[in-house]
């Protein structure tokens, strides 16, 4: 969308803030807003989440450090990159390094930001920051948070397209992370 198109869009004023339900990792409420074009009232759900990080971790042997964990939204395990919530006051890069080490026991030699995306701007204000962690080495077995059950897997870096296309990696934010990595690499050429 061009800047001219953006300037034509008007904000949707909030008429009433709904009752908030706090589920720990997410707060959900339904607000009432006014359509700026018609002034008609509409309900809109908003999910308040902290910002997140995703880490594409690569060992010195050019292997990806991946995690497999159960996801309750689909009642099945998924293959993903390490990641998690950014703690209040924590810088995204610090959260990326912390999550990588906690979930996998690996520590990065170098950490590079690949950018950030809005996971679902229709009802979430948060962002997911993606980092590339290079020269990763295992320094311990990991230190999982309460309620986490994660299996660490190493995969050849060259297998990413196959893992995505064959449906082994289905988490949309993980697919976006690998897309951001590819875009950065192409932009450097």
């Amino acid at each position: 969308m061009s800047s001219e198109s953006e300037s034509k869009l008007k904000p949707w004023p909030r008429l009433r803030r709904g009752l908030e339900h706090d589920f720990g990792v997410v707060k959900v409420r339904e607000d009432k807003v006014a359509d700026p074009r018609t002034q008609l009232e509409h309900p809109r759900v908003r999910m308040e989440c902290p910002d997140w990080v995703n880490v594409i971790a690569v060992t010195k042997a050019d292997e990806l450090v991946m995690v497999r964990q159960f996801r309750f939204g689909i009642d099945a395990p998924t293959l993903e990159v390490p990641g998690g919530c950014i703690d209040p006051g924590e810088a995204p890069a610090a959260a990326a390094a912390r999550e990588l080490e906690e979930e996998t026991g690996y520590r990065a030699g170098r950490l590079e930001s690949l950018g950030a995306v809005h996971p679902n701007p229709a009802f979430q204000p948060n962002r997911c920051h993606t980092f590339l962690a290079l020269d990763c080495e295992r320094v311990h077995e990991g230190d999982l948070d309460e309620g986490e059950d994660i299996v660490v897997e190493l995969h050849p870096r060259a297998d990413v397209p196959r893992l995505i296309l064959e449906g082994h990696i289905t988490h949309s934010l993980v697919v976006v992370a690998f897309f951001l990595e590819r875009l950065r690499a192409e932009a450097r050429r």
Side-chain angles (χ1 to χ4, degrees):
M1 182 182 291
S2 70
S3 296
E4 184 179 323
S5 294
E6 285 179 20
S7 66
K8 290 179 183 177
L9 287 175
K10 295 181 178 123
W12 289 57
R14 181 175 28 193
L15 303 174
R16 287 183 304 288
R17 182 183 171 106
L19 179 64
E20 189 169 87
H21 303 278
D22 190 342
F23 299 101
V25 71
V26 63
K27 295 176 184 173
V28 181
R29 71 173 193 267
E30 184 180 75
D31 293 345
K32 301 296 182 192
V33 298
D35 181 328
R37 205 172 37 79
T38 65
Q39 280 64 57
L40 293 175
E41 185 176 303
H42 297 277
R44 291 293 183 260
V45 172
R46 184 169 170 107
M47 296 175 59
E48 298 285 343
C49 308
D51 281 0
W52 303 322
V53 291
N54 268 341
V55 184
I56 298 173
V58 184
T59 67
K60 291 181 179 183
D62 210 33
E63 293 175 303
L64 292 172
V65 180
M66 305 285 290
V67 295
R68 192 173 298 275
Q69 59 188 318
F70 190 85
R71 291 301 193 182
F72 294 92
I74 61 170
D75 287 325
T78 60
L79 181 62
E80 305 176 11
V81 296
C85 293
I86 299 174
D87 291 336
E90 186 177 34
R98 176 183 53 75
E99 286 289 345
L100 171 63
E101 191 169 335
E102 284 177 3
E103 290 188 355
T104 68
Y106 279 81
R107 192 174 291 152
R110 294 182 296 143
L111 199 61
E112 175 184 330
S113 174
L114 296 176
V117 297
H118 290 99
N120 191 339
F123 51 81
Q124 289 174 241
N126 68 324
R127 295 184 301 161
C128 181
H129 302 262
T130 299
F131 288 85
L132 178 62
L134 298 170
D135 302 325
C136 293
E137 292 185 292
R138 192 149 205 192
V139 294
H140 58 78
E141 292 299 309
D143 184 22
L144 298 178
D145 290 337
E146 187 69 32
E148 282 184 321
D149 185 24
I150 293 173
V151 175
V152 177
E153 298 181 11
L154 297 178
H155 291 269
R157 195 172 185 187
D159 282 358
V160 169
R162 179 186 63 77
L163 291 170
I164 292 170
L165 293 173
E166 290 180 0
H168 300 287
I169 296 174
T170 60
H171 192 307
S172 61
L173 293 174
V174 175
V175 174
V176 167
F178 285 117
F179 183 67
L180 287 172
E181 180 192 24
R182 175 166 280 181
L183 288 176
R184 290 284 177 166
E186 289 174 2
R188 287 186 181 132
R189 290 184 198 146

